Amino acid sequence: SLGSSSKKASVYGGYVEGGGTAQKNEVSITGSTITGNVSGGYISLSGSVKKTGNVSKENKVSITDSTINGDVRGGYIQINNEILASSEGAVNGNEVEISQAEGSTTQINGNVYGGWTKKGDALNNTVTITGGTLVQSVYGGWTENGTVNDNKVTISDGTINGYGIYGGYVLNGTGEVKNNTINISNGTINSWKIEAGSGTTSSNVEKNIVNITGGTFTNLDEVYGGHGGTATGNEVHIKNVDSTLSVSTV
């Protein structure tokens, strides 16, 4: 836990070098400035041997009345050597909470991820925003190559200035994107895109849901329940919102 006026480069609740498990680690930051990144549970895969079975799970990051200049990740798995391209690791059940007290300032200058993995599955990760300003994008679960299921982003206040808000996001490959959710009830959303489930042209994108019941939307152009190769059973629900935007469930 970091208190008032602390300044640190990067902060990790738990750090594992070379592979393994990072579980139930917590980072709580209040009234502080962090010049680097923040992660609840961070696994760095390195060396020359394939590593599987790695998992960063049930880690939590809470930030209030603070400035973070880097990225914020609840669970984080990075592969640092191309020799390890066949290695993988899952980020499961991690949480990020961002808030701001009245009269104070919270600002996140990097991206925010409930869970992030270079290769592997991102499951059941959550981002909850009740205040503050987020300069970049927001992701419940993110993988470069894997499955993203059951991730959630909830926004009830604050300002989001980044390009997009994503429940689950797959960058490459054929990974499934299923049961991811975005709930927005208030706040100022300056993002261009909202996608509950974002996959590749080869992804099966299924049963992802966007619920928008309030907020101010200035630059929003597209809202997708699910976006990918094959799209089935995705939903967008918008109520009491006045905005010119394009809505699609596929």
Side-chain angles (χ1 to χ4, degrees), residues 29-240:
I29 300 173
T30 303
S32 303
T33 297
I34 308 299
T35 59
N37 302 315
V38 176
S39 298
Y42 175 21
I43 298 176
S44 176
L45 299 179
S46 59
S48 58
V49 179
K50 176 182 177 181
K51 296 178 175 67
T52 59
N54 305 287
V55 61
S56 177
K57 63 181 181 178
E58 300 168 5
N59 302 288
K60 184 175 181 179
V61 174
S62 301
I63 299 168
T64 187
D65 306 338
S66 298
T67 297
I68 313 298
N69 288 329
D71 292 335
V72 175
R73 301 176 176 97
Y76 178 31
I77 299 181
Q78 179 62 275
I79 299 174
N80 297 308
N81 190 330
E82 290 303 320
I83 297 175
L84 295 176
S86 58
S87 295
E88 60 185 34
V91 285
N92 300 340
N94 301 287
E95 301 177 53
V96 173
E97 296 181 352
I98 298 171
S99 61
Q100 177 178 288
E102 186 175 354
S104 296
T105 299
T106 296
Q107 181 162 318
I108 314 298
N109 292 320
N111 294 304
V112 174
Y113 307 87
W116 188 106
T117 179
K118 177 76 172 179
K119 183 181 180 182
D121 298 339
L123 311 174
N124 292 293
N125 303 286
T126 63
V127 175
T128 303
I129 301 165
T130 60
T133 298
L134 281 67
V135 176
Q136 303 295 333
S137 295
V138 180
Y139 304 83
W142 187 101
T143 181
E144 184 169 313
N145 197 327
T147 294
V148 286
N149 292 346
D150 302 298
N151 301 284
K152 182 184 289 188
V153 174
T154 301
I155 301 170
S156 59
D157 209 344
T159 300
I160 315 298
N161 292 329
Y163 176 82
I165 301 169
Y166 305 90
Y169 188 97
V170 174
L171 181 63
N172 297 313
T174 62
E176 180 182 72
V177 184
K178 187 175 180 179
N179 293 328
N180 301 285
T181 305
I182 295 174
N183 296 315
I184 301 174
S185 59
N186 200 1
T188 300
I189 311 301
N190 297 319
S191 301
W192 184 71
K193 182 179 290 189
I194 294 174
E195 295 187 16
S198 182
T200 71
T201 55
S202 301
S203 294
N204 177 36
V205 181
E206 182 178 350
K207 295 181 180 179
N208 302 283
I209 301 175
V210 174
N211 296 306
I212 301 175
T213 57
T216 300
F217 301 83
T218 56
N219 298 318
L220 190 59
D221 185 67
E222 296 177 339
V223 179
Y224 294 92
H227 186 195
T230 302
T232 306
N234 302 286
E235 301 177 15
V236 175
H237 303 279
I238 299 175
K239 184 178 180 180
N240 299 325

